[in-house]
Amino acid sequence: MSAPKVVIIGAGIVGANLADELTARGWADVTVLDRGPLPRTGGSTSHAPGLVFQTNASKAMTDFARYTVEKFVELDCFLQVGGMEVATTPARWEDLRRKHGWATSWGVPGQLIDAAECVERWPLLDGSRIFGALHVPTDGLARAAKAVEVLAERAGSRGARFIGSTKVTDVLQEGGRVTGVRTGQGDFPADVVVSCAGFWGREIGAMVGMDVPLLPLAHQYVKTGQVAELVGRNTEDVEASLPILRHQDQDLYFREHVDRLGIGSYAHRPMPVDESGLDPSVTETAMPSMLPFTEDDFAPSWEESKLLLPALRQTKVEEGFNGIFSFTPDGQSLVGESADVRGFWLAEAIWVTHSAGIAKAVAQLLVDGHSEVDVHDIDVHRFEQVQLAPSYVSETAQQNFVEVYDILHPLQPKLSPRDLRVTPFHVRQRELGAVFLEAGGWERPHWFEANAPLLKKLPHDALPPARDGWSAQFHSPIAAAEAWHTRNGVALYDMTPLKRVEISGPGSLEFLQSLTTNQLDKSVGSVTYTLMLDAAGGVRSDVTVARLEPEVFQVGINGTIDVDHFVKHAPAGVQVRDTTGGTCCIGVWGPLARDLVQPLSREDFSHQGLKYFRARKARIAGVPVVAMRLSYVGELGWEIYTSADNGLRLWDALWAAGQSLGVVAAGRAAFNSLRLEKGYRLWGTDMTTEHDPYEAGLAFAVRPAKGPFLGRDAIEGRSEETASRRLRCLTIDDGRTVVLGKEPVFVDGVASGYVTSAAYGYTVGRPIAYAWLPASAEIGSGVEIEYFGRRVAATVAAEPLVDPGMERIRR
């Protein structure tokens, strides 16, 4: 079978890399089109400063950056001068300790250096102003424009065509598939079209009716006059020798241009750009992506630059421009295939730093059906519909510009926009003093101030120790009371934001069987925990499937990426319907859960009447519900679903009936602690497509004997015994240090893994963490977690920590 015809829209750093990666894999019929002239097309690549700092909170983005460095070094398009991020405040110095932990976790070489070494490596620095820096020797400068030429030549030698001055005016389609693109120079047939159009990506996406959530924003960059201290250090061929430098406390970065300095600033006001009004012409001195410099916006940054680098006082800003870059609602890139038009792909909002790595991932997705690096962080389908509104994209993208160098806590929510999606119980939660954090547009209670008095009534050994400054943020000890009442009484949890779909119609069972690992051919009323794998056997999601009727299934999923996966694979006759917004769910959990629910219903909620992992339709206080005997917190109880219009009535009935039982409302902080004590995994955090079921400790959910399913061939021959790494439960030896996640874990003094999830275990009375470790780290082994630069002893523990015999959950 011949390789498909591919048209790539955009000949910048992403498009050129993608053409190279595809042709290297044998897809030679590749045409790259750009509206601008070649090779300097006038897009962002043409003026990109090229700084590549690899370390990122996201493992995937770090992996993409590392591959970009490796590839550009091989192409002789990279100056590996190293990178330095300096701290001028105690808060930044602490944050660099955290970032150094990320680098260690993801395998990037780096070290924290003091002020004296900073000045030794960067003599222009005023050492009295800094605490130190994170130094990464493999960071450096990508020569993006040169790389495009080299990549185009290499891809061209394998058959690719690069055509400039050719604007795409339409994406052609037939029967829900792309057939090519239309340009002023004629049509170009294609089986696959990939938009790498940069800040014109919205325009291209609109051609297939796709909302592309990016916002073009202007970002200031200047070059100084000659700096005396740089004279003679560099040449035109090797224009830089000092490390690339970030001064994030003032939203600045610096690089050399022979004997001048380039300075980039994010310190100015956000400047959104309407790309439709840009002048498309490209000359030696002007291009669409370079807007006139606004000197007043840069003036404060120039003063801060002179404070950090006193040598600049002897020179001035000689030239500057406002360059256009793409920002998104969460600051990540956009990769994926259209949900409606097969064969149309996006690879947008990608900076030079990650260009080669993401292009490789897209090529692997196209050619192999999976990427070796997990891509859920950048999947274009990760956003909810409310997050695709132009007003939402504009506000959040501008806020991401403002916060690009800010010190942000992992739980730190947006301040605006808020209250976009609230559950039917929101009014009652507010009355109880809920403290809401936001995810996917949903307001989710993390704890309830109304429960504060319960802390005084807890047994002494149930009170958690004081937390350090970082782990105490966006947290309250009230979570301890909510967790205690879940384990010892009964609590109500709002589970509405957890996404769910209804899959129905003839062939729906066979369809689900083909995408999941567990046996779903069970009686009506069955509920099954199962996995979805990718073609390489990686865990692309974990889902819960309830068979409500012979051909009607309710599937609890992890997000909109799963919806897209189901829709793309669904055969004719099978309907996939997102029911999340029209329904709601209350988790009623705790040893007194049956005492609360049974008096409100004529249905049998006894252990025999509704067994564990079974579901049934019922009425509770007259409200029609679907009750599922599940528990993500490891206690007796049910997930109780009803339509959104009946939600408040259901909550009020349960709340009123539970008063004599001491019912409490509980939030996500307690929930996360309880689920970790029970050993329940969170997809996207504890495991991704980079892990197989046996490594993740989920072999129980895999039934190869049931018949074919996606990924079955890939995992044939694998087992828990053959796994070289495992997701392990750790308990923190000092009993008080609650880590945040993503910290490196040392085995026998060597960095060997990283933390995924962490919380204080209120039932077991000590902090818990889950971490990826070598399989040789057996239960009982001692390890160390590096937390803000200090080593914290921990022990590999048998899991689950609570109720390993499942007696509590099966009462």
Side-chain angles (χ1 to χ4, degrees), residues 5 71 101 104 135 152 240 252-253 277 331 337 354 378 396 418 472 497 518 637 686 697 712 748 770 773 799 802:
K5 293 180 181 291
K71 182 173 181 177
T104 305
H135 177 245
L252 295 167
Y253 62 81
E337 186 181 22
H354 311 105
I378 60 173
T396 54
R418 294 294 295 270
N518 213 337
D686 296 317
R712 187 180 77 158
D748 296 328
Y770 270 75
L773 294 176
E799 58 171 329
V802 170

Side-chain angles (χ1 to χ4, degrees), residues 109-438:
Q111 60 181 331
L112 293 167
I113 59 177
D114 61 20
E117 187 170 348
C118 289
V119 174
E120 183 180 335
R121 293 183 178 277
W122 240 92
L124 279 65
L125 282 168
D126 180 352
S128 68
R129 292 187 172 273
I130 59 179
F131 289 81
L134 172 63
H135 177 245
V136 175
T138 54
D139 288 344
L141 285 166
R143 293 172 157 176
K146 177 184 176 183
V148 166
E149 295 185 41
V150 173
L151 290 164
E153 182 178 353
R154 188 160 77 173
S157 71
R158 304 185 189 118
R161 296 185 299 163
F162 283 72
I163 303 173
S165 302
T166 304
K167 181 181 178 180
V168 171
T169 58
D170 197 10
V171 175
L172 307 177
Q173 53 184 291
E174 183 178 331
R177 290 201 62 92
V178 297
T179 59
V181 300
R182 178 154 294 158
T183 77
Q185 284 69 45
D187 293 351
F188 292 81
D191 305 297
V192 175
V193 174
V194 187
S195 175
C196 303
F199 55 80
W200 283 292
R202 294 191 297 191
E203 175 185 311
I204 302 299
M207 295 176 185
V208 297
M210 190 173 183
D211 292 319
V212 181
L214 67 77
L215 180 72
L217 284 163
H219 159 61
Q220 292 198 301
Y221 191 77
V222 307
K223 291 181 181 178
T224 71
Q226 188 181 72
V227 179
E229 287 82 351
L230 297 181
V231 174
R233 286 186 61 95
N234 308 305
T235 66
E236 292 294 334
D237 291 333
V238 182
E239 59 190 289
S241 55
L242 293 174
I244 55 176
L245 181 68
R246 270 179 174 164
H247 180 21
Q248 291 171 292
D249 289 319
Q250 295 297 332
D251 297 315
L252 295 167
Y253 62 81
F254 306 85
R255 57 153 294 181
E256 293 170 283
H257 291 280
V258 189
D259 56 7
R260 302 194 293 166
L261 279 185
I263 308 172
S265 172
Y266 293 99
H268 54 82
R269 61 192 167 90
M271 304 179 195
V273 176
D274 179 4
E275 66 273 28
S276 65
L278 296 174
D279 182 352
S281 60
V282 178
T283 68
E284 287 297 319
T285 57
M287 60 183 67
S289 60
M290 295 177 68
L291 302 179
F293 183 57
T294 50
E295 187 174 351
D296 288 348
D297 289 305
F298 190 75
S301 293
W302 178 237
E303 295 306 312
E304 292 295 340
S305 298
K306 289 187 290 185
L307 290 175
L308 184 71
L309 306 172
L312 295 182
R313 297 168 187 167
Q314 309 308 315
T315 186
K316 62 181 180 179
V317 173
E318 282 198 346
E319 57 183 286
F321 63 93
N322 293 357
I324 303 177
F325 291 83
S326 298
F327 280 76
T328 63
D330 61 2
Q332 300 282 29
S333 301
L334 304 172
V335 167
E337 186 181 22
S338 164
D340 302 313
V341 182
R342 300 300 301 272
F344 179 82
W345 285 71
L346 288 179
E348 301 290 12
I350 300 166
W351 294 6
V352 172
T353 299
H354 311 105
S355 56
I358 294 181
K360 179 183 177 182
V362 174
Q364 290 177 330
L365 288 167
L366 288 169
V367 177
D368 305 322
H370 64 90
S371 164
E372 65 189 49
V373 176
D374 178 73
V375 294
H376 85 273
D377 280 349
I378 60 173
D379 192 308
V380 69
H381 299 292
R382 67 190 181 271
F383 297 106
E384 298 284 346
Q385 281 296 317
V386 69
Q387 296 174 304
L388 298 176
S391 59
Y392 181 92
V393 174
S394 178
E395 180 176 350
T396 54
Q398 289 184 62
Q399 188 60 30
N400 279 321
F401 179 92
V402 171
E403 295 177 348
V404 69
Y405 281 168
D406 284 4
I407 300 170
L408 301 176
H409 190 276
L411 294 177
Q412 192 157 331
K414 297 179 179 69
L415 296 178
S416 176
R418 294 294 295 270
D419 292 333
L420 295 177
R421 307 176 81 188
V422 298
T423 75
F425 325 124
H426 185 74
V427 62
R428 297 292 183 259
Q429 292 165 347
R430 289 178 63 89
E431 291 169 358
L432 293 170
V435 175
F436 294 98
L437 301 185
E438 178 268 345

